[in-house]
Every structure is written in structure tokens, then in C-alpha cells.
Amino acid sequence: MMRGVRRVALGMAFSFFMLSLGLVYWQVVQADTLLENPANRRLILMENRVNRGGIFDRNGEILAQNQTSNGKKVRVYPKGEMYEPLLGYSSVKYGSSGLEGSTADWLLGVRNATPTQTVQQLFALPRQGNDVVLTLDSRLQTIAYNALKGKMGAAVAIDPQTGKVLAMVSQPSFDPTSLEENWANINSRVQERPFENRAFSLYPPGSVMKVVTSAALFRSGINTTDLYESTGSAIINGQTINEQNGKAFGWVNYNMALANSSNAYFATFGVQAGDKNFLSAVKGFGFGQKIPLELDVRMSSITKADKLPAKLTTNLLAASTFGQGEVLVTPFHMALIAAGIANHGVIMTPHLVERVLDPTQTVIFQTKPQPWLTALSKEEADKITSAMVTAVTDGTAAPGALPNVQVAGKTGSAEPGGDVPTHGWYIAFAPAEAPRIAVAVMVENGGTGGGAAAPIARQIMQEALNQKVGDKL
């Protein structure tokens, strides 16, 4: 009888021990993995006992912070809609989005938790979360936001040497203040799509794609100093390729073809270079690959069926060389492409989080710049830069010029399909000889890149270059 009781007791003790080990494993060892899952509502429910940390720009300006109002904890966003939807929101009722969601494990103090935080987490004790400092600069964000406001589109600015994202604006956006009360009204703006971050949305790139195609031309052995006669159109495999507005540019070499944005030149020599060289070039720039960032960026693609196909038909290749056909790219990716050319062909890993501070303001995480892709050789990057400078001094990119500064730029007017105006694109970096900033601006149905997007890019670059000596971006 006693032996049976002892066996039952030992069995219960062993079960309790294994249960305790399981709790410790899931609550402590696997805590980070579980909490990083955006589907886990515990991150939101933690808000009741954890004081979520603040989010700041690179200069210490408050972008999001908890405050107490009438005895109730509320999340406040001093900049209103300026950083939305990038910054996102945190709501017990509607969950979280944007950086509020992707950095929640830092903000709630559960990622790489200290022993004290681990104990507080295990026993559900109140605690203070960590502060997240972003790479974004409110001065550039303000310029970009005001310049783009009233339009539909996106603007992105990047430090080409480090991959730091200096500004990211998407319009139209929404004001996260009193989000739960205004939720229905924000959602009713269906055509504006205020929750959509257009910097991460896919669009046909139009002629800004020609900087990517340039690499294929160089690698095919084509002599880019040779002259080509632009007559207003070209016929390739039975397909008519028109210059914009049917304009004939006459005899042009590579530099002038990029400066004047000749579709016929790039289609003719792009087909001559072949689909293997073209697809190799686009792969080098990151098409068909996931961009490493704290947020999900939609993958840029060459065809609808395959983001990075093994081959292309002659007609599809011809259209793809100047950014039409089925090519789709995000404004964020185009900013990275511009930054890669500026950085002698090396695309740095982009990042939005500069550092994380614990409640004592000790740095517990710091992002270190590192390369992502080598898209071009230095010689290739220099050739494209030279042509982009010509585009600003003597071509379609002239509206992006700055006084006493050499700017490298490229325009794009992409046909989205249907009877609507083209999307206006502009990519650029400055100063061309020692770039400090690279930008991409896209205005939905804005018309020409020079008319719609270049003035916005120019304002962003001007503000960046106006920073005081020593106040480096």
C-alpha cells in the first residue's frame, strides 16, 4: 500500500518537475522567439503592465511615447501623420503595425532581456521597456512630407555609405492620435489607402530602370562611346519602341542616351546584350531577393510569373530594359539602387534602427553598417554616375539640379496601364563626387519625373547638404 502511494507521489513530483522545466523553457528560453511573432497578442496585452519605451529620431526628437492622461496610459505621437504609416501604431484593440510592431520586443523589454527583466517577465511584474532610436532625421522627414503632401506617392532618402534610412514618407497617410476613435474614418478612405506604405509598394519603374540596364550593356562588350541614331522610334522583333512623345534625339552615345532617356537606345542595345546579361545585372541589384530591413519590403520583380526568370523573350526583354513590360520595383528599392551607384557599386544593408537604450539609457544594441550586395564594379558605377551627372546638366534630370553642387540624377515616367497619367520617378545622389545622400521619389500618376518628382528630391538633398559642418548625416 505504502509502496503504491510513494510511486504515485514520485510520479506527481516528476510530472511537476517536467512541467516546471517546460514553463521555464517556453517562458524564458523561447520567450524571444514567441514574442517576435506578430501573431502573438501577448505583446499587446503586456501593455497593461509594461511601460512601452519611446521611439526617437536620430537627433533625439520624440516620435512616439507613453503618457498618462486622466489616470490612463496613452500612446502619443507628437509628429502626427508625418511618420505614418512607417512608424505605425500600438493599440490593444487593433494590434500594432509598422515600427511599433516590428520593434515591440525591444520597446517592451523582452528581447535579449537582462536577468532582472527575465524575472519580471516570468512573474508578470511591472517594468519599463527600452527606448528605440531610429536613423531617421526629422529635418529631412519634414521637408519630404511637406513637399509630397497632397499627392500620392513616396520619398526615401538613404546614406549611401552606411545604409541608414534618413527619411521615408508615404502619402496619403493617417494621424495615429486617437486611433481607436478614428479607426472607422481612416478605413473609409479606401481610394487613398492611408495604411499602405507606398515606399514598399510595387510600381513599374519606367526610365529609372535604365541605370540597372546600363550594367548589362557594359558587361556585354558593347562600345558605349559608339553613336546611335534616335529617330523617334525603333522596331525590335516586330515591336515598336517609341521615344517619349516620339521625340528624335539624333546621334547619341551612352551618356547622352541616358541623359535624354532614349528608350530606343536602351531597348536596342539591351536586346543586343542579351537576356543573360540583363538578368545577371538585375539580380546583382537585388531583384527577386528579399531586402534585409526591420520591416517587410515587397520583392521587386522582372515578370509576373517569376520574380527573377531564367530567360526572357526578345519583346519582353526590350520593354524591360527601360522599365516597362512586367517590371515592378518599390521606391525603397530604387533608393537603394541609387545609393549603390553612389557607393561605387556596393549596396549597404539598409536599416531604420540606430540603437536601443535600456531604462538606464545604456546602449544595449547598436547597428553596424555592413554591405548587402556588390551590384557594380567601381568602373561601372563611375560610368553610370557620369551619365547621371550629364542628365542633370544637359538632360531630363535638370529640374533636380542644385546651385554649386554636382548632382547625379535620373528621371522616369512609367506607364501604369489604362488611360491615366504616368507615374513620375526621380532618383539622385549628391554631391556626385562624394555622395552624402541618395534619394528616390515616386509620384503616382504625377506625369513626368522631372516635373513631379525632381523638385521634391531637390528639396530633400538641399536640406541634407545644408547641415552644419560636423552635423553629419
Side-chain angles (χ1 to χ4, degrees):
M1 179 71 176
M2 292 299 295
R3 183 177 299 175
V5 171
R6 280 197 298 268
R7 286 178 178 174
V8 172
L10 286 172
M12 292 179 64
F14 180 75
S15 299
F16 180 77
F17 175 72
M18 294 303 294
L19 179 61
S20 298
L21 285 179
L23 287 172
V24 170
Y25 176 77
W26 290 111
Q27 292 284 338
V28 180
V29 178
Q30 289 294 315
D32 286 0
T33 301
L34 290 173
L35 290 168
E36 287 172 7
N37 187 333
N40 191 346
R41 300 259 327 152
R42 288 179 59 204
L43 283 173
I44 300 302
L45 298 176
M46 276 186 184
E47 303 286 348
N48 294 326
R49 57 184 171 81
V50 180
N51 190 36
R52 175 179 278 246
I55 302 178
F56 303 84
D57 90 327
R58 63 187 297 118
N59 302 307
E61 290 200 34
I62 301 170
L63 306 183
Q65 193 175 56
N66 276 4
Q67 288 184 359
T68 301
S69 177
N70 299 321
K72 181 183 178 181
K73 186 166 54 181
V74 295
R75 193 70 167 169
V76 296
Y77 301 90
K79 302 294 183 180
E81 69 169 42
M82 186 185 298
Y83 280 88
E84 300 299 342
L86 170 64
L87 191 59
Y89 54 80
S90 174
S91 162
V92 173
K93 186 174 183 180
Y94 296 111
S96 61
S97 72
L99 287 168
E100 283 275 38
S102 68
T103 64
D105 51 355
W106 285 122
L107 295 168
L108 296 173
V110 296
R111 183 174 177 181
N112 296 347
T114 64
T116 300
Q117 289 175 322
T118 299
V119 172
Q120 291 172 328
Q121 179 181 325
L122 184 60
F123 293 100
L125 299 174
R127 67 176 182 277
Q128 173 64 44
N130 303 312
D131 291 335
V132 173
V133 180
L134 304 178
T135 58
L136 299 170
D137 188 309
S138 283
R139 296 165 294 187
L140 297 184
Q141 188 80 5
T142 300
I143 294 293
Y145 169 76
N146 289 332
L148 195 59
K149 191 168 177 59
K151 304 176 178 67
M152 289 187 177
V156 180
I158 293 176
D159 181 335
Q161 297 180 29
T162 64
K164 294 179 181 179
V165 181
L166 304 174
M168 188 188 298
V169 171
S170 175
Q171 282 291 303
S173 57
F174 64 93
D175 190 339
T177 305
S178 304
L179 180 80
E180 294 185 0
E181 293 86 341
N182 297 323
W183 185 263
N185 180 53
I186 297 172
N187 272 285
S188 68
R189 296 157 51 193
V190 179
Q191 290 187 333
E192 294 182 6
R193 312 191 308 278
F195 287 120
E196 177 183 335
N197 189 339
R198 285 171 164 81
F200 299 157
S201 297
L202 292 167
Y203 300 92
S207 290
V208 291
M209 187 68 180
K210 291 169 183 171
V211 298
V212 176
T213 303
S214 297
L217 270 56
F218 300 155
R219 294 167 193 174
S220 69
I222 290 171
N223 188 341
T224 54
T225 63
D226 285 349
L227 294 178
Y228 168 84
E229 186 178 14
S230 163
T231 61
S233 65
I235 298 177
I236 299 175
N237 197 38
Q239 175 181 222
T240 300
I241 305 294
N242 292 311
E243 304 286 25
Q244 188 173 2
N245 300 322
K247 184 176 181 179
F249 301 115
W251 292 98
V252 294
N253 61 10
Y254 163 74
N255 264 43
M256 291 310 300
L258 189 82
N260 291 319
S261 204
S262 170
N263 295 338
Y265 178 95
F266 280 88
T268 297
F269 289 110
V271 168
Q272 186 176 319
D275 62 344
K276 288 185 178 179
N277 280 314
F278 177 76
L279 293 171
S280 174
V282 299
K283 181 180 180 181
F285 275 101
F287 280 76
Q289 299 177 61
K290 180 175 174 58
I291 294 175
L293 189 70
E294 293 89 344
L295 294 169
D296 286 332
V297 185
R298 297 179 71 181
M299 197 179 293
S300 297
S301 58
I302 299 300
T303 67
K304 296 175 182 176
D306 192 341
K307 297 185 186 304
L308 189 63
K311 57 184 179 179
L312 290 171
T313 64
T314 299
N315 286 5
L316 193 53
L317 172 60
S320 300
T321 60
F322 57 98
Q324 291 295 162
E326 298 179 6
V327 180
L328 293 174
V329 66
T330 64
F332 185 78
H333 193 178
M334 283 310 311
L336 281 180
I337 289 171
I341 299 169
N343 196 38
H344 306 301
V346 178
I347 302 177
M348 300 299 286
T349 300
H351 57 281
L352 284 155
V353 175
E354 175 75 23
R355 59 186 181 275
V356 179
L357 309 173
D358 71 9
T360 68
Q361 295 302 284
T362 299
V363 177
I364 58 175
F365 173 80
Q366 181 95 34
T367 301
K368 296 180 180 179
Q370 58 183 354
W372 175 39
L373 297 170
T374 299
L376 302 163
S377 67
K378 183 181 183 302
E379 182 183 9
E380 291 170 338
D382 288 345
K383 285 183 180 180
I384 298 174
T385 298
S386 175
M388 290 175 70
V389 168
T390 305
V392 175
T393 58
D394 296 295
T396 61
L402 293 172
N404 304 316
V405 177
Q406 195 169 66
V407 175
K410 182 71 192 80
T411 55
S413 300
E415 298 177 4
D419 188 21
V420 294
T422 57
H423 297 326
W425 282 89
Y426 195 83
I427 61 171
F429 52 89
E433 66 279 9
R436 293 178 56 196
I437 185 170
V439 297
V441 177
M442 190 282 306
V443 180
E444 284 187 24
N445 310 124
T448 66
I456 298 171
R458 183 182 66 236
Q459 291 181 58
I460 298 170
M461 290 187 291
Q462 184 68 74
E463 175 62 26
L465 300 179
N466 280 346
Q467 303 300 336
K468 296 177 182 178
V469 176
D471 190 15
K472 187 178 179 181
L473 288 172

